[in-house]
Amino acid sequence: MGFVDEVPVPVLEDWADWLVYARALSGAGDPRGEAIRLEHRGAPADDVQLAAVYRQVERECGLDGLRADGSWRLGWSRGFLDTAVFRLTEQNGPAEETGPAEETGPRRRALVLRLLAELPHSGVHDPDDPEQWEAVLVDVLLRHPAAGRLRRLELHLTDHHHSAGRAAAALAARQRPRLAELYLGHHYDTLFELHRTSTGRPLEVERYLHDPVVPHEAGRALWPALPALRSLELEGAFLFDDVVHEELTHLRTRGAVTRWRS
């Protein structure tokens, strides 16, 4: 999809190495080479051109539909995604009041179908279930090679009963050597209240008392894949079995984020 990932990515932040990398990308027809050169020059007058180049990168990567959907806010640096914030856009008012709107629901479904056809994903999504669309939007971005150098990631989930596990599995599918800040969870007012999905369906959190939202295997694989993680925020009920990471310097939890052990 127009993303060259055969050229070795520099390990260090030295600009000389990145300019060599940029020349190799440009030689392969990858517009990220031009973006890296513009970033290195750092001229304010280049900001508009740089934004335009990264819009081209997103189109050629197959990621342009994610920005158009409005749920992802993306920041690029040196040819890779540097920051990413996900919050599912409401399709027709508050999720607890309405399901997918007649206009935007079909558009999001069409986007999901295209992404599943064109981009790497876990292969276990049902595009006919609107509550799984969020999981697709998260899964395809985190499995894309453009997300390999993420530094900060926020996942504010709505249909977390599908998307939290998919997100954890996608993150664990490759090492994330720069991911230092992670928020993962869903907002709530009272811990054991009925959670409302994007379709307005009530979801009882007690169903995860003994089996967490994120499946055991995905949860165990996640933490070793994030060696640079220093700041972690988790919000919700019974998301994980355990949180095991010796290098954390900041941990914030809201809710009983690990399951009850009997």
Side-chain angles (χ1 to χ4, degrees), residues 6-7 13 21 31 66 84 87 99 104 111-112 134 156-157 180-181 196 205 212 224 233 237:
E6 293 84 4
V7 180
E13 298 300 306
Y21 180 65
L66 293 178
R87 183 178 281 103
T104 56
L111 171 62
V112 165
E134 174 181 82
H156 302 266
L157 304 175
E181 302 176 36
R196 295 289 177 175
V205 298
E233 295 190 38

mmCIF file of all heavy atoms in Angstrom, residues 6-7 13 21 31 66 84 87 99 104 111-112 134 156-157 180-181 196 205 212 224 233 237:
data_model
loop_
_atom_site.group_PDB
_atom_site.id
_atom_site.type_symbol
_atom_site.label_atom_id
_atom_site.label_comp_id
_atom_site.label_asym_id
_atom_site.label_seq_id
_atom_site.Cartn_x
_atom_site.Cartn_y
_atom_site.Cartn_z
ATOM 1 N N GLU A 6 11.049 -2.390 3.690
ATOM 2 C CA GLU A 6 12.212 -3.242 3.516
ATOM 3 C C GLU A 6 13.511 -2.504 3.856
ATOM 4 O O GLU A 6 14.525 -3.138 4.166
ATOM 5 C CB GLU A 6 12.302 -3.764 2.074
ATOM 6 C CG GLU A 6 11.189 -4.714 1.675
ATOM 7 C CD GLU A 6 9.940 -3.975 1.207
ATOM 8 O OE1 GLU A 6 9.993 -2.726 1.135
ATOM 9 O OE2 GLU A 6 8.932 -4.638 0.926
ATOM 10 N N VAL A 7 13.513 -1.167 3.764
ATOM 11 C CA VAL A 7 14.705 -0.376 4.063
ATOM 12 C C VAL A 7 14.908 -0.337 5.573
ATOM 13 O O VAL A 7 13.972 -0.003 6.313
ATOM 14 C CB VAL A 7 14.571 1.053 3.502
ATOM 15 C CG1 VAL A 7 15.822 1.868 3.815
ATOM 16 C CG2 VAL A 7 14.317 1.009 2.001
ATOM 17 N N GLU A 13 18.583 8.409 16.850
ATOM 18 C CA GLU A 13 17.870 9.598 16.391
ATOM 19 C C GLU A 13 18.763 10.546 15.602
ATOM 20 O O GLU A 13 18.336 11.643 15.245
ATOM 21 C CB GLU A 13 17.279 10.336 17.603
ATOM 22 C CG GLU A 13 16.263 9.516 18.388
ATOM 23 C CD GLU A 13 15.069 9.101 17.530
ATOM 24 O OE1 GLU A 13 14.441 9.976 16.915
ATOM 25 O OE2 GLU A 13 14.787 7.891 17.464
ATOM 26 N N TYR A 21 18.261 7.357 5.224
ATOM 27 C CA TYR A 21 17.004 6.607 5.140
ATOM 28 C C TYR A 21 16.010 7.317 4.223
ATOM 29 O O TYR A 21 15.338 6.687 3.391
ATOM 30 C CB TYR A 21 16.429 6.457 6.548
ATOM 31 C CG TYR A 21 15.121 5.710 6.655
ATOM 32 C CD1 TYR A 21 15.037 4.366 6.332
ATOM 33 C CD2 TYR A 21 13.965 6.358 7.109
ATOM 34 C CE1 TYR A 21 13.840 3.673 6.456
ATOM 35 C CE2 TYR A 21 12.767 5.681 7.230
ATOM 36 C CZ TYR A 21 12.708 4.337 6.906
ATOM 37 O OH TYR A 21 11.516 3.653 7.023
ATOM 38 N N PRO A 31 6.775 8.649 -0.396
ATOM 39 C CA PRO A 31 6.770 10.088 -0.087
ATOM 40 C C PRO A 31 7.262 10.420 1.310
ATOM 41 O O PRO A 31 7.506 11.597 1.611
ATOM 42 C CB PRO A 31 5.299 10.481 -0.261
ATOM 43 C CG PRO A 31 4.532 9.213 -0.067
ATOM 44 C CD PRO A 31 5.414 8.125 -0.624
ATOM 45 N N LEU A 66 -9.175 6.464 7.934
ATOM 46 C CA LEU A 66 -9.225 6.547 9.391
ATOM 47 C C LEU A 66 -9.347 8.000 9.843
ATOM 48 O O LEU A 66 -10.111 8.314 10.747
ATOM 49 C CB LEU A 66 -7.977 5.906 9.992
ATOM 50 C CG LEU A 66 -7.837 4.394 9.804
ATOM 51 C CD1 LEU A 66 -6.534 3.910 10.417
ATOM 52 C CD2 LEU A 66 -9.018 3.657 10.420
ATOM 53 N N ALA A 84 -0.910 8.878 18.585
ATOM 54 C CA ALA A 84 -2.212 8.465 18.063
ATOM 55 C C ALA A 84 -3.204 8.456 19.217
ATOM 56 O O ALA A 84 -2.929 7.885 20.279
ATOM 57 C CB ALA A 84 -2.134 7.082 17.417
ATOM 58 N N ARG A 87 -10.798 7.909 19.841
ATOM 59 C CA ARG A 87 -12.062 8.073 20.570
ATOM 60 C C ARG A 87 -13.179 7.962 19.540
ATOM 61 O O ARG A 87 -13.270 8.775 18.639
ATOM 62 C CB ARG A 87 -12.118 9.421 21.302
ATOM 63 C CG ARG A 87 -13.377 9.605 22.140
ATOM 64 C CD ARG A 87 -13.373 10.932 22.886
ATOM 65 N NE ARG A 87 -12.559 10.915 24.090
ATOM 66 C CZ ARG A 87 -11.349 11.447 24.206
ATOM 67 N NH1 ARG A 87 -10.779 12.042 23.160
ATOM 68 N NH2 ARG A 87 -10.685 11.412 25.346
ATOM 69 N N GLY A 99 -28.490 4.133 17.989
ATOM 70 C CA GLY A 99 -27.545 3.261 17.332
ATOM 71 C C GLY A 99 -26.934 3.979 16.151
ATOM 72 O O GLY A 99 -27.011 5.200 16.032
ATOM 73 N N THR A 104 -24.343 7.912 8.592
ATOM 74 C CA THR A 104 -22.953 7.631 8.905
ATOM 75 C C THR A 104 -22.691 6.161 9.175
ATOM 76 O O THR A 104 -21.566 5.700 8.987
ATOM 77 C CB THR A 104 -22.495 8.470 10.112
ATOM 78 O OG1 THR A 104 -23.388 8.199 11.210
ATOM 79 C CG2 THR A 104 -22.530 9.940 9.787
ATOM 80 N N LEU A 111 -16.176 1.742 5.245
ATOM 81 C CA LEU A 111 -14.772 1.919 5.599
ATOM 82 C C LEU A 111 -14.210 0.646 6.201
ATOM 83 O O LEU A 111 -13.110 0.199 5.852
ATOM 84 C CB LEU A 111 -14.628 3.084 6.578
ATOM 85 C CG LEU A 111 -13.246 3.270 7.208
ATOM 86 C CD1 LEU A 111 -12.205 3.576 6.148
ATOM 87 C CD2 LEU A 111 -13.290 4.373 8.262
ATOM 88 N N VAL A 112 -14.952 0.037 7.112
ATOM 89 C CA VAL A 112 -14.508 -1.200 7.750
ATOM 90 C C VAL A 112 -14.277 -2.295 6.710
ATOM 91 O O VAL A 112 -13.271 -3.007 6.736
ATOM 92 C CB VAL A 112 -15.532 -1.643 8.817
ATOM 93 C CG1 VAL A 112 -15.310 -3.092 9.228
ATOM 94 C CG2 VAL A 112 -15.447 -0.722 10.033
ATOM 95 N N GLU A 134 -15.398 -0.517 15.888
ATOM 96 C CA GLU A 134 -14.331 0.143 16.633
ATOM 97 C C GLU A 134 -13.088 -0.740 16.677
ATOM 98 O O GLU A 134 -11.965 -0.258 16.480
ATOM 99 C CB GLU A 134 -14.791 0.457 18.058
ATOM 100 C CG GLU A 134 -13.694 1.024 18.950
ATOM 101 C CD GLU A 134 -14.182 1.296 20.362
ATOM 102 O OE1 GLU A 134 -14.237 0.352 21.175
ATOM 103 O OE2 GLU A 134 -14.511 2.467 20.635
ATOM 104 N N HIS A 156 -9.338 5.472 23.946
ATOM 105 C CA HIS A 156 -10.554 5.733 24.713
ATOM 106 C C HIS A 156 -11.670 4.922 24.045
ATOM 107 O O HIS A 156 -12.233 5.351 23.034
ATOM 108 C CB HIS A 156 -10.874 7.227 24.702
ATOM 109 C CG HIS A 156 -9.776 8.085 25.251
ATOM 110 N ND1 HIS A 156 -9.738 8.493 26.569
ATOM 111 C CD2 HIS A 156 -8.664 8.607 24.653
ATOM 112 C CE1 HIS A 156 -8.662 9.245 26.767
ATOM 113 N NE2 HIS A 156 -7.993 9.326 25.621
ATOM 114 N N LEU A 157 -11.977 3.786 24.603
ATOM 115 C CA LEU A 157 -12.809 2.796 23.923
ATOM 116 C C LEU A 157 -14.276 2.911 24.325
ATOM 117 O O LEU A 157 -14.602 3.328 25.442
ATOM 118 C CB LEU A 157 -12.288 1.396 24.227
ATOM 119 C CG LEU A 157 -10.809 1.165 23.870
ATOM 120 C CD1 LEU A 157 -10.362 -0.213 24.319
ATOM 121 C CD2 LEU A 157 -10.563 1.378 22.381
ATOM 122 N N ALA A 180 6.203 4.966 25.001
ATOM 123 C CA ALA A 180 6.502 5.330 26.386
ATOM 124 C C ALA A 180 5.261 5.682 27.186
ATOM 125 O O ALA A 180 5.273 5.583 28.420
ATOM 126 C CB ALA A 180 7.476 6.509 26.415
ATOM 127 N N GLU A 181 4.163 6.094 26.507
ATOM 128 C CA GLU A 181 2.956 6.527 27.202
ATOM 129 C C GLU A 181 1.750 5.819 26.598
ATOM 130 O O GLU A 181 1.546 5.852 25.386
ATOM 131 C CB GLU A 181 2.769 8.041 27.071
ATOM 132 C CG GLU A 181 3.925 8.862 27.606
ATOM 133 C CD GLU A 181 3.728 10.345 27.350
ATOM 134 O OE1 GLU A 181 2.570 10.816 27.421
ATOM 135 O OE2 GLU A 181 4.716 11.032 27.055
ATOM 136 N N ARG A 196 -22.870 1.189 28.268
ATOM 137 C CA ARG A 196 -23.627 1.259 27.026
ATOM 138 C C ARG A 196 -22.682 1.159 25.838
ATOM 139 O O ARG A 196 -21.711 1.903 25.737
ATOM 140 C CB ARG A 196 -24.408 2.571 26.950
ATOM 141 C CG ARG A 196 -25.484 2.693 28.016
ATOM 142 C CD ARG A 196 -26.653 1.756 27.752
ATOM 143 N NE ARG A 196 -27.644 1.838 28.824
ATOM 144 C CZ ARG A 196 -28.816 1.213 28.815
ATOM 145 N NH1 ARG A 196 -29.128 0.447 27.782
ATOM 146 N NH2 ARG A 196 -29.654 1.331 29.821
ATOM 147 N N VAL A 205 -20.699 -5.402 33.519
ATOM 148 C CA VAL A 205 -19.266 -5.593 33.726
ATOM 149 C C VAL A 205 -18.971 -6.844 34.548
ATOM 150 O O VAL A 205 -17.872 -7.400 34.470
ATOM 151 C CB VAL A 205 -18.634 -4.359 34.399
ATOM 152 C CG1 VAL A 205 -18.784 -3.142 33.514
ATOM 153 C CG2 VAL A 205 -19.253 -4.106 35.771
ATOM 154 N N PRO A 212 -11.052 -11.838 32.180
ATOM 155 C CA PRO A 212 -10.930 -10.408 31.907
ATOM 156 C C PRO A 212 -11.340 -10.041 30.481
ATOM 157 O O PRO A 212 -11.454 -10.895 29.600
ATOM 158 C CB PRO A 212 -9.441 -10.139 32.141
ATOM 159 C CG PRO A 212 -8.788 -11.456 31.867
ATOM 160 C CD PRO A 212 -9.753 -12.491 32.357
ATOM 161 N N PRO A 224 5.631 -7.460 27.694
ATOM 162 C CA PRO A 224 6.979 -7.614 27.149
ATOM 163 C C PRO A 224 7.190 -6.910 25.811
ATOM 164 O O PRO A 224 8.332 -6.609 25.439
ATOM 165 C CB PRO A 224 7.120 -9.139 26.982
ATOM 166 C CG PRO A 224 6.127 -9.723 27.917
ATOM 167 C CD PRO A 224 4.978 -8.761 27.920
ATOM 168 N N GLU A 233 -1.870 4.397 31.960
ATOM 169 C CA GLU A 233 -3.156 4.723 32.575
ATOM 170 C C GLU A 233 -4.181 3.710 32.090
ATOM 171 O O GLU A 233 -4.341 3.503 30.888
ATOM 172 C CB GLU A 233 -3.600 6.140 32.200
ATOM 173 C CG GLU A 233 -2.681 7.219 32.740
ATOM 174 C CD GLU A 233 -3.256 8.613 32.569
ATOM 175 O OE1 GLU A 233 -4.489 8.759 32.744
ATOM 176 O OE2 GLU A 233 -2.487 9.539 32.258
ATOM 177 N N ALA A 237 -13.245 -1.735 34.191
ATOM 178 C CA ALA A 237 -13.413 -2.859 35.107
ATOM 179 C C ALA A 237 -12.898 -4.141 34.471
ATOM 180 O O ALA A 237 -13.292 -4.485 33.354
ATOM 181 C CB ALA A 237 -14.890 -3.026 35.475
#
